[in-house]
Amino acid sequence: MKRGPIIEISLDSIRHNYEYARGLSNNRPTIAVVKADAYGHGAVRVANLLEGLGVSCLGVAFSSEAIQLREAGVTAPIMVFFDTPGIDEVIRYALIPVISEAGYAQTLSIMALRRNTRVSVHVKTDTGMGRFGFVPDIDEEEINALSTLTGIKIAGFMSHFSEADLVDTNFANVQLERFVALKARLASQYSGSLWHIANSAATMYLAQAHLDAIRPGLMLYGYDPLKEGNPALRPAMTVKCRILEIRRLPAGRSVGYGRTFVTQRETLVGVIGIGYADGFPRVLSNRAHVIVNGRLAPIIGRVCMDVSMADLTDVINATAEGESLPHECILLGRQGNATLSANHLASAANTISYEILTSLGRALDRTFTYQPSR
Ligand SMILES: *Cc1c(COP(=O)(O)O)cnc(C)c1O
């Protein structure tokens, strides 16, 4: 029997969020980021949807992710942000590599020429993330030298903000200035290339960073990196799990490992089929809620490997006569007036919505269901 979480993805919500992002950017080309299995939402289905909506390009972290999409029939351009696929992969799967250092560019160029072809690439610049890329000013000779490599065509330049949530825009503006200044210096040499730096936060809150294309990830899945519950966005993921058992414990009994919760009253304890092996963080022990019958019920005791416990006393006492006992609960999503967002879970777990979505989305034994897009 499948025991793990049921993950429902609303493709309609992703469509809405994508179109919202496009509208904010005045319909600039969009490089839609579907790395990490589309932030846990299932990269193939999300890519199919976005392709149907005419997305300019998809962005992934590694070539293995791009190959998975190609093998599933995705034909849209795919940019590979973080690794260095060899020429055969680049040609066979029509990948757009991102060049972060000169050696890879040279190898790619030589190999492309040997195959009588020219490969389109984008160039990564490090304006303040301190991760990948050529540093403007310091590495500028190397950037200039890329134009001499006849096996590659520099189709674009990119950079990435280190303030992903833009709570503070000061440094983002410094990065943007560095990027735009580089663009001006390279204008004659690399005319016609696409300059892009806008992640979700910049797509929403830093219009001057939209430049030639936007590159949103998180917002496509319905979350605003800066603030909770932006009504313009629609969270696409709902996570449910089964209630395996409901038991009645008297007051004064401990629940779960380490006896971190002791009943204060006669308590109806629901044992629910999700644990830390399913990406439900153990730090949420005694700190999160589930939704049952449209009402919030607290998680009690430690989150176990495969199951957790919730106090269903109030929910069940409020259940109308004749209504059957609940057999399902919601960990992420909404029902009735109750909402549990990835931001709620993230703040209780001292992390960010990105991590909640990706960890729930890669549950060991999950079932995805997709609601169609209009
Ligand atoms: C993940 C990523 C993005 C998207 O960032 P969000 O904050 O999710 O919008 C954009 N560009 C690069 C290079 C990334 O790695």
Side-chain angles (χ1 to χ4, degrees), residues 71-113:
E71 287 179 341
V74 172
T75 58
I78 305 178
M79 196 177 296
V80 178
F81 295 147
F82 301 140
D83 72 352
T84 52
I87 189 70
D88 292 326
E89 261 179 14
V90 169
I91 294 172
R92 176 154 176 223
Y93 297 105
L95 310 181
I96 303 172
V98 170
I99 305 285
S100 287
E101 46 89 31
Y104 176 54
Q106 286 154 6
T107 309
L108 206 55
S109 177
I110 291 167
M111 299 312 247
L113 290 174

Side-chain angles (χ1 to χ4, degrees), residues 33 35 39 81-82 131 158 160 199-200 215-218 354:
V33 181
K35 68 191 182 200
Y39 293 43
F81 295 147
F82 301 140
R131 192 169 66 175
M158 63 190 284
H160 195 46
N199 57 5
S200 294
R215 215 172 59 228
L218 187 74
Y354 298 74

Side-chain angles (χ1 to χ4, degrees), residues 30-50:
T30 302
I31 301 158
V33 181
V34 297
K35 68 191 182 200
D37 205 20
Y39 293 43
H41 293 64
V44 169
R45 294 296 293 265
V46 172
N48 279 328
L49 170 80
L50 295 171

